[in-house]
Amino acid sequence: MYTKAAAAIKKAGRVAAFTGAGISVESGIPPFRGENGLWTQYDPVFIEINYFHRHRLESWRLIREIFYDFFGKAEPNAAHKALAVMEQKGLLHAVITQNIDNLHQAAGSKIVHEFHGTASTLACLKCRAKYPVSEIGLEELPPVCPGCGNSLKPDFVFFGEPIPEPANSNSIREAEISEVLILIGTSGEVMPAARIPYLAKQKGAVIIEVNIEPTIYTGKLTDIFLPGKATEVMKRLLEMLMPASPAL
Ligand code: APR
């Protein structure tokens, strides 16, 4: 299967990756679903947009605990780094990620479409100004906009919010023109993100899937399933693609 996957990637004029929470699990960030999934410990209502507007402090307390105090210290792992090396070598054009952890950029990937936004910046609910979270600090909650004094919100997509532009259009276009789409660590359960692989498939892309277990894509869309942890599979795939590739 690895030989077939490497051959498809090398033959393709354009390759993209579509990543979910599973690619960051080996960086210490739990997935949302499945064993030890975040949503088995917390009710996701705290990042539902209407709840956030009605219970700003309670919501912010959980947001800070989970997405900043806990996730904030994560480092990119070998799977993130493998995608960055593939981009540098012209074997991958872009990453479409559902993740908000900025680990693809931290690993060196340059073209990253953040379909669900990012936890790295905060946005003002009133004047729409954006600030790096490092500039604002989260000691005081809810954080307020230095410009107009109104509340700030993390710049990632809450349940009930639209997908941001240009990430939405860029992701759709990328899925439609890529000849190979590598799915890494996603359950495919959340729309509209989960339709990205279907768009690629409709346009004739080869779907390579990396996951520790089969998903709803595996029996339907996936052409080449590479079972295993993202770091192990991506290291092995990179070796197939570039035998003398640097250690990750
Ligand atoms: N390597 C590869 N895959 C893994 C690993 C690993 N080490 N660990 C877990 N996985 C797989 C799981 O089998 C599962 O299929 O990663 C997937 C994680 O699925 P989810 O937790 O549902 O994450 P994701 O698909 O990204 O969720 C989509 O849901 O809650 C929203 O906005 C949130 O972006 C998120 C969206």
Side-chain angles (χ1 to χ4, degrees):
M1 292 312 245
Y2 281 87
T3 310
K4 201 174 157 199
I9 291 167
K10 283 183 175 167
K11 184 168 146 248
R14 195 179 179 104
V15 177
F18 177 65
T19 66
I23 197 172
S24 298
V25 164
E26 291 156 272
S27 295
I29 296 180
F32 291 99
R33 296 168 188 82
E35 204 179 322
N36 305 322
L38 210 58
W39 300 150
T40 63
Q41 299 161 55
Y42 297 91
D43 178 342
V45 73
F46 75 98
I47 50 169
E48 194 280 325
I49 191 63
N50 296 313
Y51 178 89
F52 175 75
H53 287 315
R54 289 197 311 272
H55 307 280
R56 201 149 291 165
L57 187 55
E58 292 85 342
S59 181
W60 253 113
R61 281 198 182 114
L62 275 172
I63 288 169
R64 179 175 62 183
E65 177 189 326
I66 296 167
F67 295 108
Y68 294 99
D69 295 348
F70 180 17
F71 286 13
K73 300 168 182 59
E75 294 292 326
N77 62 47
H80 298 105
K81 291 173 187 170
L83 291 176
V85 170
M86 286 173 68
E87 182 186 47
Q88 286 151 20
K89 301 296 180 192
L91 291 165
L92 183 88
H93 185 263
V95 175
I96 303 163
T97 188
Q98 300 170 84
N99 301 339
I100 60 174
D101 54 32
N102 199 55
L103 291 181
H104 286 297
Q105 296 91 325
S109 288
K110 298 283 180 271
I111 302 182
V112 181
H113 303 308
E114 293 177 304
F115 201 77
H116 288 153
T118 177
S120 305
T121 48
L122 304 180
C124 177
L125 292 165
K126 188 163 173 59
C127 72
R128 302 276 170 236
K130 294 195 178 186
Y131 306 90
V133 66
S134 53
E135 253 180 52
I136 297 292
L138 297 177
E139 295 70 33
E140 297 293 315
L141 294 180
V144 293
C145 173
C148 74
N150 280 281
S151 283
L152 295 172
K153 169 186 169 294
D155 206 13
F156 58 77
V157 177
F158 281 33
F159 291 109
E161 281 195 300
I163 301 303
E165 287 298 352
N168 184 48
S169 308
N170 290 341
S171 302
I172 290 169
R173 192 182 63 252
E174 194 61 50
E176 291 181 336
I177 60 177
S178 293
E179 293 164 42
V180 171
L181 187 69
I182 311 170
L183 317 186
I184 307 175
T186 183
S187 63
E189 295 199 14
V190 171
M191 286 293 180
R195 73 190 179 101
I196 292 287
Y198 289 95
L199 295 175
K201 186 76 179 183
Q202 278 160 15
K203 297 286 184 178
V206 172
I207 306 293
I208 297 170
E209 183 179 12
V210 178
N211 203 306
I212 51 173
E213 61 189 11
T215 67
I216 54 177
Y217 293 126
T218 314
K220 273 194 285 187
L221 292 188
T222 300
D223 298 298
I224 304 169
F225 184 60
L226 302 176
K229 292 183 173 181
T231 54
E232 291 161 12
V233 172
M234 291 310 293
K235 268 192 267 193
R236 191 168 162 198
L237 183 58
L238 193 63
E239 277 154 24
M240 295 291 286
L241 288 165
M242 300 161 43
S245 60
L248 291 170

